[in-house]
Amino acid sequence: MSNFSFIRSIRKIYQFFVDRPLDSGTIINNLYQISHVIGSGSYGIIYYCKDIQTNEIKVLKQLRPSKNRTKSGVALFENEISIISRLQHSNMPQFYEAFSVNGSYFYSMNYIEGINMEDLIFSINQTFNSIYIRFTFFNRSLTRKVYSPWRYTNF
């Protein structure tokens, strides 16, 4: 086993123990009651929750605890907040607030009912490199053929 593989294995074990989702019923920032996890990625855990003041359903994104211990992890999360807080489109979540609680970083958004791109890709039972994806962004529709997760053509 190479040093890189060994270090990666240790990091994954560390993340397994540190990046535990919050329990259902947990109240964050005296405002958001966690219902359940609706997604996760390499940098965040996304929760379906209720705003206990307005009874509205919202989404809460938490920076993974293993990432909030690094300056680069926090900087990427802050950059994400900066971008999403400026976006104004009906197909994009509306940003509400960013905050930290007990050393954990969060931001809240409205909940948009629907299917996410990952679920859509797997539900139509096609490989990722053979899917045509239609993007609607600022009232412009663009169709792209995706050849890989990293390279787009036919722009």
Side-chain angles (χ1 to χ4, degrees), residues 2-19:
S2 71
N3 279 344
F4 178 74
S5 296
F6 177 73
I7 291 170
R8 185 163 189 239
S9 297
I10 296 297
R11 186 180 63 211
K12 291 293 182 188
I13 292 169
Y14 170 74
Q15 289 173 340
F16 175 79
F17 287 106
V18 172
D19 292 340

Side-chain angles (χ1 to χ4, degrees), residues 100-119:
S100 65
V101 174
N102 298 327
S104 292
Y105 298 91
F106 298 88
Y107 68 87
S108 61
M109 306 170 279
N110 68 313
Y111 176 73
I112 299 175
E113 188 75 38
I115 188 168
N116 66 36
M117 184 60 86
E118 181 182 14
D119 291 341

Side-chain angles (χ1 to χ4, degrees), residues 51-112:
D51 181 321
I52 59 176
Q53 289 181 350
T54 65
N55 275 340
E56 294 176 355
I57 299 301
K58 296 200 176 157
V59 171
L60 197 61
K61 182 166 185 181
Q62 176 189 21
L63 177 63
R64 286 184 174 276
S66 64
K67 302 295 184 184
N68 75 9
R69 290 180 168 87
T70 66
K71 287 181 182 177
S72 62
V74 173
L76 283 169
F77 196 70
E78 288 172 343
N79 188 51
E80 181 177 327
I81 291 168
S82 173
I83 292 167
I84 199 162
S85 67
R86 290 182 275 155
L87 294 175
Q88 300 293 318
H89 190 273
S90 60
N91 294 333
M92 296 294 297
Q94 178 186 349
F95 172 83
Y96 290 116
E97 68 172 331
F99 56 91
S100 65
V101 174
N102 298 327
S104 292
Y105 298 91
F106 298 88
Y107 68 87
S108 61
M109 306 170 279
N110 68 313
Y111 176 73
I112 299 175

